[in-house]
Amino acid sequence: HRRWCSFSVFNAVYVASAFPSGIISDRIGRRRVIIGGLVVFSAVYFGFAFAGSAAWMWPLFATYGLYQGLTDGTSRAYIASLVDASQRGTALGAYSMATGLAAFPASAIGGVLWDRIGPEATFLLGAASAGVAAVALTWYGARLREHRP
């Protein structure tokens, strides 16, 4: 029952934050919103790694929903903005394929860490990876030019 409720909180925050995140990304830029989302993700995973009790799951799942609301649609809009209109379908398909292909080894590595070291190691790797992605998008993403309609 508790697990179902925490996922309900995740989904409620995700839904509530997605539309405002799109508005914010139109104002300050998609890359900045995605970077902010990656920072939120990193913080949530650090929280999962060090949560001392189940009571932390509610606020962590709510914050995880915020991450999803910040990045899910915004990342696809960002990808679409990097290519000409004639290439958007291909770019979004390649993005989805790369994301799907990366999920398998990430899950396998996470599972091995979970089994051999503990859940904390899996969450710390996720937190560190999101942090590295945020830094990379900050430094290297500025070189990418978004196409403005």
Side-chain angles (χ1 to χ4, degrees):
H1 175 68
R2 288 183 186 174
R3 193 173 300 145
W4 179 84
C5 291
S6 59
F7 279 108
S8 295
V9 168
F10 163 84
N11 282 314
V13 173
Y14 173 19
V15 167
S17 62
F19 184 72
S21 295
I23 293 170
I24 292 168
S25 77
D26 288 340
R27 291 188 182 151
I28 69 168
R30 292 168 182 86
R31 188 171 55 87
R32 288 181 179 165
V33 172
I34 296 166
I35 291 166
L38 290 168
V39 170
V40 169
F41 179 95
S42 185
V44 167
Y45 268 49
F46 272 116
F48 282 141
F50 297 114
S53 72
W56 279 102
M57 292 306 113
W58 291 85
L60 287 170
F61 267 87
T63 309
Y64 194 44
L66 176 62
Y67 149 74
Q68 199 71 22
L70 286 167
T71 60
D72 190 35
T74 308
S75 62
R76 288 192 293 271
Y78 183 59
I79 295 298
S81 74
L82 296 174
V83 298
D84 290 326
S86 65
Q87 295 298 310
R88 286 190 183 139
T90 302
L92 289 168
Y95 171 73
S96 294
M97 181 185 72
T99 302
L101 289 173
F104 178 73
S107 296
I109 292 166
V112 168
L113 288 173
W114 191 290
D115 286 343
R116 301 228 173 138
I117 299 172
E120 299 83 8
T122 302
F123 288 118
L124 289 174
L125 177 62
S129 298
V132 168
V135 169
L137 193 55
T138 299
W139 287 345
Y140 300 109
R143 296 180 183 174
L144 301 173
R145 300 230 184 242
E146 292 182 44
H147 294 282
R148 301 286 178 182

